Amino acid sequence: EGRETRLRVVLRVRPLTCTETRRGDQQVVHSLGDGAVHVSAARHGATFGFSAVFDAGASQEAVFEGSGMRQLVELAMDGYSCTVFAFGQTGSGKTYTLMGPLAQSDTQPASPALLGLMQRSFTCLLEQSRSRGSDLALSASYLEIYNEQIRDLLSPGPPCALPLRWSKTRGFYVENQLSVEFESLEAIVSLLLQGSQRRRTSAHALNRHSSRSHALLTIHVRSRAAGGCPSKQGTLCFVDLAGSERVKETGSSGELSLEANSINRSLLALGHCISLLAKPRGKRTHIPYRDSKLTRLLARSLGGSGITLMVACISPSSRCLSETLSTLHYASRARRVTTRP
Ligand code: ADP
Ligand code: MG
C-alpha cells in the first residue's frame, strides 16, 4: 500500500487465422520462453521481454492463471481499484481474450473452455465472496466511448451521451451511469451479453465484427463494515480498447473513417500519456489525461492509485509486422509505468 508498483504487462500471440493460413502468411513472432518473444523480419529482428508471453497454443485458462488475473480479482475484493486492459491492432484477439468467442456468435453458446478473462474473473469473484463468507455487495456498470461520447451500455432505450466530470475526491467519473446489482454468475454474464450487443461494431476488411468503440465494464465490490473492520470499496474494470488501424488497410471511408479517426486519436492520447508516465517520477511533466475521454477514465489506473494489468495482443502474421512492432514497443514502454495503490 502506498508503494510504487509497476504495471504488469503480458503478451498474447493469437494463432494464424484460416484466412492467413490459406494466404500462406509467414509466422514472424516466436516465443522464446521466460517471457521473451522474438520478431523476425528482414530488417526488423527484435526481442522483447514481458511478465509472461502466451503463444498460439495457450488456452484461455492458461492466460487467466498466468496473467495474474486471479490476484487482481482478490485485490479488488480487498478494496483496491484494479484494471485490466487489452490492446492491440484490430483483429489481434482482444475481445477473444477478454470474453472468448461467445460475444461473436449469437446462435450457439461457446464451450466453457473458451470463456475469457471476464467470465473467469466473475466466477472467481463469486466463489471467493462465498468462501470468505463476508457480506459483499456486487454491482456492475458498462460504458462505451464511441466517437468521443460516453454511452451507457446497460440502460435501455436509445443511447444518450453521459457527462464526464471531475471532483477532488473521486477524480474523473461518469455522471448518471447505471449500476446494476448482481448476485449470480448468470446475472452478470447476461449483463455482459446485453451490453456487448449494444456496442458499436462494424464489419471491415480486417475483422468481421470489429469493435468500433472502447468498452469499460466495471464491477464494484462493496464490503459492509463488520466486527471492527471498516467497509471497503474496490473495483475491477475490464477495458476492451477498439483496435488501432490504418484507414487505408481496412477499406474504411465516410462514417467509418470518422470512427477510425476518433479511435486513433484516443489511442494516440493514451500512448502519449503512457510514454510520459514511463519517465522516472522526478522527471515527469504534466500528464495530459484531459486530451481524451479514454485517458480521463483511465487516469487512476495508469497514474494514480490503481493496480493495472495490460494484455497486449498481436497476430503472428508477417502481414501485420508493422502494427505488431508498434504494439510491442508500446507495451514495453508501459512496463515502466508505476502507480501507488
Ligand atoms: P479484436 O477484438 O482484437 O479486434 P478478436 O478478439 O475479435 O480481435 O479476434 C479476431 C479473430 O481471431 C476472431 O475470429 C477470434 O475468434 C480469433 N482469435 C483471436 N484470438 C484467438 C485465439 N487465441 N485462439 C483462437 N482464435 C482466436
Ligand atoms: Mg474486439
Side-chain angles (χ1 to χ4, degrees):
E1 203 168 329
R3 271 194 311 170
E4 276 190 40
T5 307
R6 275 175 193 269
L7 243 67
R8 188 174 160 85
V9 184
V10 303
L11 178 74
R12 188 175 203 188
V13 191
R14 69 156 166 75
L16 283 172
T17 61
C18 301
T19 323
E20 288 168 342
T21 313
R22 232 180 294 128
R23 253 186 347 215
D25 287 12
Q26 296 292 313
Q27 291 219 29
V28 292
V29 180
H30 302 276
S31 163
L32 305 174
D34 256 355
V37 70
H38 183 77
V39 182
S40 52
R43 281 175 296 129
H44 303 283
T47 303
F48 298 84
F50 296 98
S51 296
V53 174
F54 304 97
D55 60 19
S59 65
Q60 296 280 71
E61 190 191 358
V63 175
F64 180 76
E65 296 299 341
S67 61
M69 192 64 230
R70 187 182 285 281
Q71 291 86 319
L72 214 58
V73 173
E74 286 166 5
L75 287 162
M77 296 183 72
D78 288 335
Y80 292 95
S81 311
C82 302
T83 308
V84 51
F85 62 98
F87 79 98
Q89 177 183 20
T90 296
S92 59
K94 299 180 296 293
T95 305
Y96 184 96
T97 298
L98 287 174
M99 296 187 212
L102 146 143
Q104 297 166 354
S105 81
D106 312 325
T107 45
Q108 65 196 91
S111 100
L114 299 182
L115 293 175
L117 289 180
M118 288 173 126
Q119 297 93 335
R120 286 170 200 273
S121 302
F122 303 156
T123 306
C124 176
L125 186 67
L126 289 158
E127 273 171 14
Q128 288 273 334
S129 94
R130 252 171 246 133
S131 77
R132 290 191 188 190
S134 54
D135 219 353
L136 285 185
L138 302 173
S139 62
S141 54
Y142 200 6
L143 304 168
E144 74 171 343
I145 307 175
Y146 175 71
N147 281 347
E148 279 300 284
Q149 286 196 339
I150 298 177
R151 297 170 170 183
D152 198 322
L153 292 170
L154 294 182
S155 76
C160 64
L162 296 179
L164 180 56
R165 309 234 183 263
W166 188 86
S167 84
K168 223 172 182 162
T169 47
R170 298 177 66 183
F172 293 106
Y173 67 96
V174 178
E175 201 169 65
N176 298 331
Q177 66 176 339
L178 206 63
S179 180
V180 181
E181 297 220 352
F182 65 90
E183 285 179 350
S184 70
L185 186 62
E186 293 71 38
I188 177 65
V189 167
S190 128
L191 288 174
L192 172 66
L193 281 182
Q194 278 172 36
S196 306
Q197 276 158 7
R198 290 216 180 88
R199 255 183 99 178
R200 283 297 295 237
T201 57
S202 339
H204 63 52
L206 282 180
N207 186 341
R208 275 190 307 129
H209 299 274
S210 168
S211 319
R212 311 299 294 173
S213 65
H214 307 296
L216 290 86
L217 177 96
T218 310
I219 308 284
H220 307 268
V221 188
R222 247 178 319 119
S223 65
R224 296 184 193 96
C229 298
S231 72
K232 286 184 266 186
Q233 186 159 351
T235 53
L236 182 58
C237 181
F238 298 86
V239 186
D240 187 6
L241 294 176
S244 55
E245 57 190 59
R246 276 165 298 167
V247 175
K248 77 177 183 327
E249 222 165 81
T250 54
S252 308
S253 64
E255 190 189 359
L256 280 183
S257 73
L258 172 72
E259 286 176 355
N261 284 332
S262 47
I263 293 169
N264 288 342
R265 196 152 16 96
S266 54
L267 289 174
L268 207 66
L270 180 61
H272 190 51
C273 287
I274 289 179
S275 61
L276 291 173
L277 285 164
K279 294 186 178 164
R281 269 178 197 261
K283 291 193 181 156
R284 248 185 233 177
T285 47
H286 167 74
I287 312 290
Y289 293 117
R290 287 181 185 269
D291 281 1
S292 76
K293 298 248 161 79
L294 178 67
T295 43
R296 271 180 260 185
L297 285 178
L298 292 178
R300 183 175 18 195
S301 322
L302 291 172
S305 55
I307 302 176
T308 302
L309 168 67
M310 244 187 176
V311 186
C313 298
I314 57 173
S315 152
S317 159
S318 52
R319 297 234 188 165
C320 298
L321 186 64
S322 75
E323 284 283 355
T324 294
L325 284 169
S326 106
T327 301
L328 288 168
H329 283 296
Y330 196 100
S332 307
R333 215 174 292 137
R335 296 190 74 197
R336 296 201 298 271
V337 175
T338 57
T339 59
R340 288 177 193 271

